[in-house]
């Protein structure tokens, strides 16, 4: 085991290249070129990419739990939405008198006949309070739920089922009008953020660049985390929790930490998502949304950091295209895709190159050196986490 | 006369769904002693280890570690941090980690969440891991995925992980299972060499191995959840009760 | 009958019995007389109808009030009140029907008379007439053929406390045979007595109200108690004491009734949960497969019921007894439909995923998406209409507790399913092999059990149970493509809190959660109730992480 570095020289170059392309080149192509130019990136496209990037943050949160710690949480959509709601509350208050009812109160409160702004809405006039809430509210819910779940050693599918119930219960609550978060319709019709008009292309470009930065930051954080001692324990918990427990590690604390951390990351992603999409409602926190995020991770490749990003971007791009081209068939395509990946490609898309080269090497070895014992490292077991073991020498 | 007991188990009972797995069990282990526990299937050997390591809570009775540390009510990891290490019957290693990492994770040291976030390996730890690799003879495979090791090698690795923890008390469940005769013999020698520095309880089936490591130490026979008899290997072997429930069938 | 005679003598038009001398029923003759009377005399004439038993009174009075009764003056100067037929003829005119006998009026030439609605001037009403009408209709309801109408009328009169109604109530009590109406009449009379101010009658009334467990009585008794408190000496102290004990007794009765009712609803809800969760308990508990598409298999059963219903409509039409039997035919269809779907699912997906719960969860979620979309494409996104068979509509009331037939059916059906399942698992060779495979797959395979086939059948069977649950659901709510999703979370909760793989635990958990849910709902509302149930389950698992009956394993993980 040599000194751990965050990224090797080559990896830094690839990472920097991609980040610059996404974060600098695309926005420049949007600003500098006139609409209609073949290389121009339209405002719409940039906004769409920004949305995908925040969804990739959600996917990373899923993967740090599922791929690295073995916790398949169906509650990530809840944390994403909680972050989104916290930011949405601030944006809602920033509408001011520009709403339909020309009132200081948010439109839905006027419509539902609220006497005044509920006390828990008051602090959300402050942007920084809202930003803190996007981190702390999801973390608080995760800590509370995780404390009980991990304390009673709920794991595997039980954890999935209970997080599913948690998300479902929360969604039911948010659907209620008297829960003070806008009921069915949620929060929408935002106008400004920090004084900038939300439908101004400049604001949107900034939000897009922020999304690139957030995703890049979360990627590096994930990289640092998974390569640390903590990351080793994380994966050890995934593979043999009892061994870790009997080695003196309080596994529940580790799980609680990563669960809360992922909730915070996901919450931030949700906040940026809401800024760019302009609406948040309770259907975003249905268990289905969590499962959708899990599909991205599975398709991309769980247990790697690149996989979830690849999965989130590609599946969402496919979705955008398919829901327009074949609206009736999209769900069938997604369901089918998922079944095929689970059955035949557990390592996801990112494991394909490794699999192909392994197959090629085996073939070569058989051809050239039949009968000669080859003393080399064992080939990773097919399928499971082969990509991960390839990336950690 | 006050003996320096490392482990005191007194009047312990444990029932699962009406099945009495452990009944009025008394067991005392001297500091530095190597004790072999034998017994037929279902005698309660694994439950016995479960009770000591906190995996199961006894219905009644007393389990103490060292002078007066009560183990009942403590978690697995708390008991482990006190200095009780356990090796499972089926080798339990981190299959996706390298051999090196397996040992590194088991090294004695701070085990809190925040400590591990920024922990770096020290030169002293490197030396220690190298030593351990030599002991378990896996130097050549230090960068192998543990999942790719042979069954016997996994057993060795787990023993190595146990040593890395440097526990006062080692609970070893069937260490020789799946090993060749030669490996078994070496395991026996290793355990004997550890005795004195550590206190060790070994559960085993293989009578040759038992004879090798028991030497002139005491042997405990468990039967139906309580101690059938204790004594030297020859005495136990000659005991008619033991012959009836265990050895008699074995021969 | 003898006591009724004086009343009859009051009638106009020389009525001597149930039918008039000229064959016109007494009510109609009096009606005609009232209609023909001068406006000033009409209220008095109408009041003469009070207590007369004739089904025609109510509809004619209603028509009169709505301005749909007219006068025809014949060539001979005789005035005849009439109404128009409901449907016009081909020239848009209506046939005129006499109020007296319902026969068609004839014009001067003896031809049937047809008139245009707009050209007619109805017989007028004014305030006094309408008040009189109301008196009559109220009382007419007391003799209506429908029991519920009579009960409602007795209740209304008892609360109206008009002295002139009392004799009518007493008279009706003489001839009334329906126990429900008799009870209402007794209560009404007791209410009159309670208002009489005479201590002896009030005491007796309180006793009657207590015996009959009358809610209206409790209200009146409380008024009396309040009155005694605010104006001392107006009410006898013995009466107050008696009233208090009566109120207590009545309220206790209704607490019990409400509790039993809640329990019953909880039991029926629990039964639905149970039928749904049993299938899941088999696939999850016995086979280690998390089937997220279990809800959709349920919907397959529901749509199978819908198809069978439509077939029956096609063959037998919507009305008639033959149609009602569609549900009996739908049950096996739902079972087989869902089982077939489960079989396909098992062969194509599940069999690669045994004992890999997380993977099976993910793959079957994909299946559930596909199935939902297929439902939407086949049956449309909207809910489909499913009619209840006659024998599942309505309810029976026992000691004030209302038991709906469909709920009774669901409970009975759940019991039958559980019994059948237990018999199947313990008494048949398939059950034996299922249990063997569950406990030790490898060993069973070594002993010559064709585990592959057993898996297939078990999974299909569990799916079939889901189909049955779907068929049951059609009788309790709407059926749409998303039906499965609304139930799947509850289902998993049942299986987890019951202890995985333990059928008895599943039964207890389903009934417990159903009852808990129903007890909470009146206080917290449907959504909060659900949320509290979920929280309660999470806390329950703190106490018993393995559910009610955890399965023990000696494995490391």
């Amino acid at each position: 085991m040599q000194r751990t570095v965050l990224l090797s020289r080559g990896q830094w170059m690839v990472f920097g290249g991609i980040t610059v392309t996404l974060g600098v080149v695309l926005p420049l192509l949007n600003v500098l070129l006139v609409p209609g130019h073949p290389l121009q990136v339209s405002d719409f496209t940039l906004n769409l990419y920004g949305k995908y990037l925040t969804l990739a943050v959600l996917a990373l949160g899923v993967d740090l739990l599922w791929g690295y710690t073995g916790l398949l949480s169906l509650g990530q959509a809840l944390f994403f939405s909680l972050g989104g709601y916290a930011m949405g509350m601030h944006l809602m208050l920033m509408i001011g008198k520009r709403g339909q009812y020309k009132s200081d109160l948010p439109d839905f409160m006027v419509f539902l006949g609220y006497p005044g702004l509920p006390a828990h809405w008051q602090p959300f006039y402050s942007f920084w309070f809202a930003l803190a809430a996007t981190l702390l509210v999801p973390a608080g819910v995760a800590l509370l739920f995780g404390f009980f779940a991990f304390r009673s050693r709920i794991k595997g599918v039980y954890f999935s089922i209970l997080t599913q119930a948690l998300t479902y219960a929360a969604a039911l609550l948010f659907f209620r009008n008297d829960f003070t978060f806008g009921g069915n319709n949620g929060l929408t019709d935002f106008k400004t953020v920090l004084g900038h008009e939300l439908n101004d292309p400049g604001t949107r470009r900034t939000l897009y660049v922020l999304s690139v930065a957030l995703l890049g930051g979360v990627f590096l954080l994930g990289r640092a985390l998974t390569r640390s001692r903590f990351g080793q324990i994380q994966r050890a918990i995934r593979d043999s929790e009892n061994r870790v427990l009997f080695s003196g590690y309080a596994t529940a604390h580790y799980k609680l930490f990563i669960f809360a951390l992922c909730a915070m990351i996901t919450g931030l992603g949700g906040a940026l998502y809401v800024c760019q999409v302009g609406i948040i409602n309770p259907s975003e926190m249905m268990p289905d949304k969590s499962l959708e995020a899990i599909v991205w991770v599975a398709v991309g490749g769980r247990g790697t950091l690149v996989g979830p990003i690849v999965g989130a971007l590609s599946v969402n791009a496919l979705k955008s295209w398919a829901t327009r081209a074949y609206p009736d068939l999209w769900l069938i395509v997604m369901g089918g895709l998922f079944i095929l990946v689970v059955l035949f490609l557990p390592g996801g898309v990112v494991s394909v190159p490794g699999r192909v080269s392994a197959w090629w090497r085996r073939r070569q070895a058989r051809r050239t050196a039949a009968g000669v014992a080859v003393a080399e490292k064992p080939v990773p077991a097919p399928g499971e986490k082969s990509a991960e073991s390839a990336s950690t020498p | 006369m006050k003996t320096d007991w490392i482990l005191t188990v007194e009047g312990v009972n444990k029932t699962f769904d009406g099945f009495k797995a452990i009944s009025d069990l008394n067991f005392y282990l001297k500091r530095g002693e190597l004790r072999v526990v034998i017994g037929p299937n279902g005698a309660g050997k694994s439950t016995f280890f479960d009770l000591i390591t906190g995996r199961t809570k006894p219905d009644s009775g007393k389990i103490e570690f060292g002078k007066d540390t009560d183990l009942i009510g403590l978690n697995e990891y708390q008991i482990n941090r006190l200095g009780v290490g356990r090796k499972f019957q089926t080798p339990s290693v981190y299959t996706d980690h390298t051999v090196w990492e397996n040992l590194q994770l088991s090294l004695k040291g701070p085990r809190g969440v925040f400590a591990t976030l920024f922990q770096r390996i020290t030169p002293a730890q490197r030396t220690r891991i190298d030593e351990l690799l030599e002991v378990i003879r896996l130097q050549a495979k230090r960068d192998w995925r543990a999942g790719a090791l042979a069954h016997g090698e996994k057993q060795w690795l787990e023993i190595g992980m146990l040593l890395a923890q440097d526990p006062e008390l080692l609970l070893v469940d069937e260490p020789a299972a799946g090993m060749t005769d030669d490996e078994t013999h070496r395991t026996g020698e290793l355990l004997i060499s550890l005795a004195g520095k550590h206190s060790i309880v070994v559960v085993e089936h293989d009578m040759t191995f038992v004879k090798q490591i028991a030497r002139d130490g005491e042997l405990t026979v468990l039967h139906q959840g309580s101690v059938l008899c204790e004594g030297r290997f020859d005495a136990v072997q000659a005991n008619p009760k033991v012959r009836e429930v265990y050895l008699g069938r074995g021969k | 009958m003898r006591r009724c005679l004086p009343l009859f003598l009051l009638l106009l038009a020389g009525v001597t019995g149930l039918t008039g001398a000229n064959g016109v029923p007494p009510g109609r003759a009096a009606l005609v007389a009232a209609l023909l009377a001068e406006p000033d005399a009409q209220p008095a004439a109408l009041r003469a109808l009070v207590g007369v038993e004739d089904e025609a009174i109510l509809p004619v009075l209603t028509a009169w009030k709505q301005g749909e009764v007219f006068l025809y003056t014949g060539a001979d100067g005789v005035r005849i009140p009439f109404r128009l037929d409901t449907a016009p003829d081909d020239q848009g005119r209506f046939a005129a029907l006499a109020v007296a006998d319902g026969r068609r009026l004839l014009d001067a030439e003896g031809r049937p008379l047809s008139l245009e609605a707009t050209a007619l001037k109805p017989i007028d009403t004014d305030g006094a007439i309408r008040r009189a009408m109301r008196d009559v209709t109220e009382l007419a309801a007391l003799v209506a053929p429908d029991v519920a109408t009579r009960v409602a009328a007795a209740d209304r009169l008892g609360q109206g406390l008009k002295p002139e109604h009392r004799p009518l109530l007493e008279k009706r009590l003489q001839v009334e045979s329906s126990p429900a109406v008799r009870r209402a009449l007794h209560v009404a009379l007791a209410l009159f007595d309670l208002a009489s101010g005479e201590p002896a009658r009030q005491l007796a009334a309180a006793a009657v109200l207590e015996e009959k467990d009358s809610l209206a009585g409790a209200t009146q008794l409380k008024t009396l108690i309040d009155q005694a408190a605010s104006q001392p000496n107006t009410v006898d102290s013995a009466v107050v004491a008696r009233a208090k004990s009566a109120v207590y007794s009545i309220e206790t009765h209704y607490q019990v009734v409400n509790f039993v009712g809640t329990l019953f609803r909880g039991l029926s809800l629990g039964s639905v949960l149970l039928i749904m969760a049993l299938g899941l308990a088999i696939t999850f508990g016995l086979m280690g497969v998390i089937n997220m598409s279990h809800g959709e298999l349920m919907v397959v059963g529901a749509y199978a019921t819908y198809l069978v219903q439509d077939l029956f409509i096609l063959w037998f039409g919507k009305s008639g007894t033959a149609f009602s039997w569609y549900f009996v035919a739908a049950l096996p269809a739902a079972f087989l439909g869902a089982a077939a779907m489960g079989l396909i699912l098992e062969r194509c997906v599940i069999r690669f995923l045994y004992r890999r719960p997380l993977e099976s969860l993910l793959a079957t979620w994909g299946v559930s998406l596909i199935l939902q979309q297929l439902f939407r494409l086949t049956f449309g996104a909207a809910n489909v209409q499913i009619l209840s068979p006659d024998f599942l509509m309505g309810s029976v009331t026992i000691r004030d507790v209302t038991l709906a037939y469909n709920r009774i059916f669901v409970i009975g059906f759940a019991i039958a399913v559980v019994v059948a399942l237990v018999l199947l698992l313990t008494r048949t060779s398939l059950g034996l092999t299922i249990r063997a495979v569950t406990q030790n797959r490898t060993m069973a395979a070594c002993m010559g059990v064709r585990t592959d086939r057993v898996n297939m059948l078990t999974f299909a069977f569990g799916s079939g149970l889901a189909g049955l649950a779907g068929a049951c659901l059609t009788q309790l709510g709407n059926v749409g493509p998303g039906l499965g999703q609304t139930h799947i979370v509850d289902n998993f909760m049942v299986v987890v809190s019951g202890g995985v793989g333990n059928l008895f635990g599943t039964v207890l958990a389903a009934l417990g959660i159903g009852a808990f849910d129903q007890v909470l709902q009146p206080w917290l509302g449907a959504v909060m109730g659900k949320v509290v149930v979920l929280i309660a389950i999470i806390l329950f698992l703190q106490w018993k992480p393995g559910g009610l009956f955890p399965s023990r394993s000696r494995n490391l993980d």
Side-chain angles (χ1 to χ4, degrees), chain C residues 193-255:
Chain C
D193 286 342
L194 203 61
S196 69
E198 296 166 34
R201 286 175 66 192
Q202 287 177 319
L203 283 175
V208 171
L209 293 175
E210 178 179 339
E211 188 206 328
K212 305 291 180 197
D213 292 316
S214 160
L215 263 184
T219 316
Q220 289 302 316
L221 287 165
K222 277 192 216 158
T223 320
L224 197 68
I225 295 167
D226 290 346
Q227 188 195 335
S230 58
Q231 302 159 266
N233 304 325
T234 52
V235 187
D236 188 90
S237 62
V239 171
V240 175
R242 187 71 190 82
K244 280 183 178 160
S245 77
V247 167
Y248 176 76
S249 156
I250 295 169
E251 285 183 343
T252 315
H253 171 76
Y254 276 97
Q255 273 166 9

Side-chain angles (χ1 to χ4, degrees), chain A residues 105-129:
Chain A
L105 281 183
D107 278 349
F108 78 88
M109 292 194 185
V110 181
F111 180 72
L112 294 171
Y114 279 61
L117 196 66
H120 59 275
W121 273 74
Q122 290 290 355
F124 282 86
Y125 274 112
S126 152
F127 174 80
W128 300 108
F129 182 90

Side-chain angles (χ1 to χ4, degrees), chain A residues 30-369:
Chain A
N30 171 252
V31 187
L32 298 179
L33 299 177
V34 286
H37 190 282
L39 285 178
Q40 209 259 350
V41 178
S42 72
D43 293 345
F44 173 81
T45 312
L46 208 62
N47 186 247
L48 190 68
Y49 288 177
K51 188 181 117 182
Y52 291 169
L53 292 170
T54 56
L55 293 176
V57 173
L58 167 63
L60 273 177
V62 168
D63 187 46
L64 281 172
L65 283 174
W66 178 37
Y68 284 95
T69 329
L71 294 168
L72 182 61
S73 162
L74 300 189
Q76 295 313 100
L78 171 63
F79 302 131
F80 193 72
S81 308
L82 285 178
Y85 264 98
M87 185 49 72
M89 284 165 79
H90 172 71
L91 298 180
M92 205 72 188
L93 291 175
M94 289 302 106
I95 297 173
K97 286 200 197 307
R98 292 169 66 190
Q100 278 194 326
Y101 294 98
K102 315 287 175 223
S103 158
D104 279 329
L105 281 183
D107 278 349
F108 78 88
M109 292 194 185
V110 181
F111 180 72
L112 294 171
Y114 279 61
L117 196 66
H120 59 275
W121 273 74
Q122 290 290 355
F124 282 86
Y125 274 112
S126 152
F127 174 80
W128 300 108
F129 182 90
L131 191 63
T134 61
L135 290 168
L136 297 180
V137 172
V141 173
L143 282 175
L144 189 71
F145 179 84
F147 173 77
F148 284 113
F150 300 135
R151 199 180 77 103
S152 56
R153 308 252 167 108
I154 288 166
K155 50 187 159 187
V157 280
Y158 299 93
F159 183 73
S160 308
I161 290 171
L162 281 181
T163 46
Q164 181 190 26
L166 172 79
T167 318
Y168 186 61
L172 287 181
L173 276 179
F174 274 81
F175 269 120
R176 285 174 64 99
N177 280 335
D178 56 9
F179 202 57
T180 73
F181 297 107
N184 255 348
N185 302 322
L187 311 175
T188 187
D189 284 337
F190 310 130
K191 307 286 188 220
T192 61
V193 58
L194 287 174
H196 303 281
E197 288 293 318
L198 270 170
N199 52 15
D200 177 58
T203 315
R204 298 196 154 204
R205 214 153 35 230
T206 313
L207 286 169
Y208 166 80
V209 175
L210 280 175
S211 306
V212 176
L214 176 68
L215 182 60
V218 169
F219 175 83
L220 290 179
L221 175 73
R223 181 81 183 169
L225 195 70
T226 52
R227 292 175 73 81
S228 73
R229 187 72 173 275
F230 180 90
Q232 289 182 352
I233 295 165
Q234 234 184 320
R235 283 181 292 130
I237 289 175
R238 176 191 69 194
D239 296 336
S240 177
E241 180 164 357
N242 272 309
R243 181 71 264 173
V244 186
L245 196 58
F246 282 102
S247 300
Y249 294 98
T251 53
H253 299 178
Y254 285 80
K255 291 198 278 187
L256 199 55
F257 177 83
I258 191 70
F259 192 43
L261 183 72
C262 287
M264 293 208 274
I265 293 172
T266 310
L268 265 187
L272 262 177
Y273 173 83
V274 166
C275 289
Q276 296 179 82
V277 176
I279 182 169
I280 178 76
N281 61 37
S283 63
E284 291 292 331
M285 60 170 79
M286 289 298 273
D288 271 15
K289 296 285 174 178
S290 297
L291 279 155
E292 225 182 299
I294 290 165
V295 177
W296 309 333
V297 177
V299 169
R302 67 192 205 231
T304 68
L305 290 170
V306 177
I309 299 176
V310 170
L313 300 186
S314 57
V315 176
N316 275 298
L318 178 67
K319 179 181 181 176
S320 293
W321 172 75
T323 43
R324 254 174 292 142
Y326 305 100
D328 284 345
L329 296 179
W330 161 241
L331 282 174
I332 296 177
V333 169
M334 182 159 87
L337 186 68
F338 202 23
I339 298 172
L340 292 179
V341 168
V342 169
L343 289 183
F344 302 115
L345 198 63
V349 175
V350 294
S351 73
V352 170
R355 285 189 148 202
V356 170
S357 70
W359 169 81
W360 183 252
R361 254 187 288 129
R362 267 201 307 273
R363 206 176 108 110
Q364 293 295 330
R366 231 180 289 131
R367 271 204 191 156
T368 54

Side-chain angles (χ1 to χ4, degrees), chain A residues 1 153 225 229-230 232-233 235-236 238-240 242-250 253-254 257, chain B residues 53 76-77 80-81 86 88 92 94 96-97 100-101 104-105 111-112 114 116-117 119 126 158:
Chain A
M1 175 124 237
R153 308 252 167 108
L225 195 70
R229 187 72 173 275
F230 180 90
Q232 289 182 352
I233 295 165
R235 283 181 292 130
R238 176 191 69 194
D239 296 336
S240 177
N242 272 309
R243 181 71 264 173
V244 186
L245 196 58
F246 282 102
S247 300
Y249 294 98
H253 299 178
Y254 285 80
F257 177 83
Chain B
T53 52
E76 292 96 326
Y77 69 90
N80 177 274
R81 287 178 190 180
R86 176 176 182 180
F88 288 94
S92 155
Y94 310 129
D96 209 36
H97 291 62
W100 176 280
E101 286 172 324
Q104 194 197 341
L105 281 179
R111 266 140 163 68
F114 295 99
T116 57
L117 279 175
Q119 215 167 50
R126 283 175 193 282
E158 199 182 357

